[in-house]
Amino acid sequence: MDGTTLWKGIIHFGDTAVAVKLHPAVREDRIRFHLLHRRDRTRLRQQMVCAWEKKPVPGEEQARGFEVEEGKYIIVDPAELDQTAPESGRTIEVHEFVRTERIDSLFLGRPYRLAPDPAIVQGEKFDALVAALEELNVAGVCTWAMRKRSYFGCLQARGGALRIHTLRYADEVVPAELLGVQEVAFSEKELKIGMELIDKLTAPFEPVKFRDEHQKKLRDMIGRKARGEKIAILPPRRLKPTAPDRLLQALQASLKKAA
């Protein structure tokens, strides 16, 4: 786990308070490119340019604005923004507990790890909370404020460890009905073969088996260019969707390969 402590606080529910430290739970290891001047390979610097005057605008002349209608803005000062910021606090307030499987993954946001705060000796309370959440298979729906932002989230325990996920609010999740997906008729034979194929391909979830092939190719390409090799540009391989009248044959062929 990344040892960086992002925040310290207290998990509170009922008459119980548990002091914790919040750590990153995920890290991204991705290739990052810089924008350069092709001629002299010097990094470019971003500037804010007035769309009307076509001139750079210094920071002291910049302001935040909200567009109330096309071309019409209201200016919001930093002091006014500060008034809307959530009150700073150190409490993760648990409002209720729900069955873990009842939380749709669409609502899950960024995960963080939680560890007991050694500055406040409460290890037994922390361990008891983790054990209770895991034994009951429930998650604590909670809210907290951190770095001038308010968060909605859930506490979860798994493998003897405690984590907290930010959650999206209900109006941030697009209902499936809005996609306008139409139901398509399929035969019982297609369903049966499809279920058999899925059953044969079902395995334990082991993410360690998978690698980011795109990042691997990027690193390989950069290494080859650094060695002075010429990169051949190949046309992309594109898969064609299976035609509805060929679905049964495609399923049968896939089932044979998976056998």
Side-chain angles (χ1 to χ4, degrees):
M1 181 177 69
D2 189 333
T4 304
T5 299
L6 300 176
W7 183 81
K8 291 184 178 183
I10 294 174
I11 299 173
H12 177 257
F13 59 97
D15 296 325
T16 302
V18 182
V20 294
K21 297 191 303 178
L22 186 143
H23 302 269
V26 295
R27 60 175 179 266
E28 292 187 353
D29 182 20
R30 297 184 180 277
I31 296 289
R32 297 184 183 276
F33 294 97
H34 297 290
L35 196 59
L36 307 177
H37 188 182
R38 182 181 289 274
R39 185 174 61 202
D40 52 27
R41 300 192 179 184
T42 301
R43 288 182 62 175
L44 300 179
R45 184 174 59 189
Q46 188 177 48
Q47 287 185 315
M48 295 299 173
V49 178
C50 175
W52 177 257
E53 296 179 330
K54 312 298 183 187
K55 296 179 181 179
V57 179
E60 63 271 14
E61 295 182 19
Q62 297 174 16
R64 292 177 181 269
F66 181 82
E67 191 173 23
V68 291
E69 57 184 75
E70 187 174 356
K72 185 177 181 180
Y73 298 86
I74 55 171
I75 301 298
V76 181
D77 295 326
E80 294 171 326
L81 285 175
D82 288 341
Q83 287 187 340
T84 66
E87 293 184 14
S88 59
R90 293 289 174 181
T91 303
I92 299 174
E93 191 68 43
V94 180
H95 302 280
E96 60 189 17
F97 293 93
V98 299
R99 300 288 296 178
T100 302
E101 66 271 13
R102 298 293 295 172
I103 300 177
D104 192 319
S105 59
L106 279 173
F107 286 86
L108 294 177
R110 190 170 184 85
Y112 297 92
R113 298 284 190 190
L114 289 173
D117 188 351
I120 304 175
V121 183
Q122 286 187 319
E124 71 284 355
K125 283 188 177 181
F126 182 89
D127 291 343
L129 173 61
V130 174
L133 289 174
E134 198 156 15
E135 179 69 24
L136 295 172
N137 191 30
V138 296
V141 179
C142 57
T143 54
W144 76 100
M146 179 175 67
R147 297 179 175 179
K148 293 187 177 182
R149 285 192 61 186
S150 58
Y151 292 89
F152 168 45
C154 65
L155 289 169
Q156 293 182 339
R158 182 170 294 178
L162 186 63
R163 63 192 181 196
I164 188 168
H165 277 271
T166 60
L167 289 176
R168 297 179 179 90
Y169 290 97
D171 59 1
E172 294 179 301
V173 176
V174 179
E177 294 79 13
L178 295 182
L179 301 180
V181 178
Q182 297 180 345
E183 291 188 9
V184 179
F186 53 87
S187 68
E188 287 295 325
K189 190 170 183 179
E190 289 171 336
L191 175 61
K192 182 180 178 181
I193 295 177
M195 291 174 63
E196 290 179 7
L197 177 59
I198 291 172
D199 183 60
K200 288 185 179 295
L201 294 175
T202 299
F205 179 55
E206 298 177 11
V208 72
K209 295 190 301 185
F210 299 89
R211 294 287 184 272
D212 190 332
E213 294 299 327
H214 178 226
Q215 292 295 304
K216 183 176 180 298
K217 289 179 180 179
L218 274 176
R219 293 181 191 280
D220 177 65
M221 181 266 291
I222 291 171
R224 290 168 59 195
K225 285 183 72 71
R227 293 191 296 269
E229 298 181 27
K230 187 174 181 179
I231 306 300
I233 308 300
L234 303 175
R237 176 173 174 264
R238 301 186 186 279
L239 292 175
K240 293 183 179 180
T242 303
D245 59 346
R246 299 283 300 170
L247 179 59
L248 185 58
Q249 295 94 317
L251 285 171
Q252 289 172 332
S254 298
L255 189 58
K256 288 180 180 178
K257 289 182 180 179

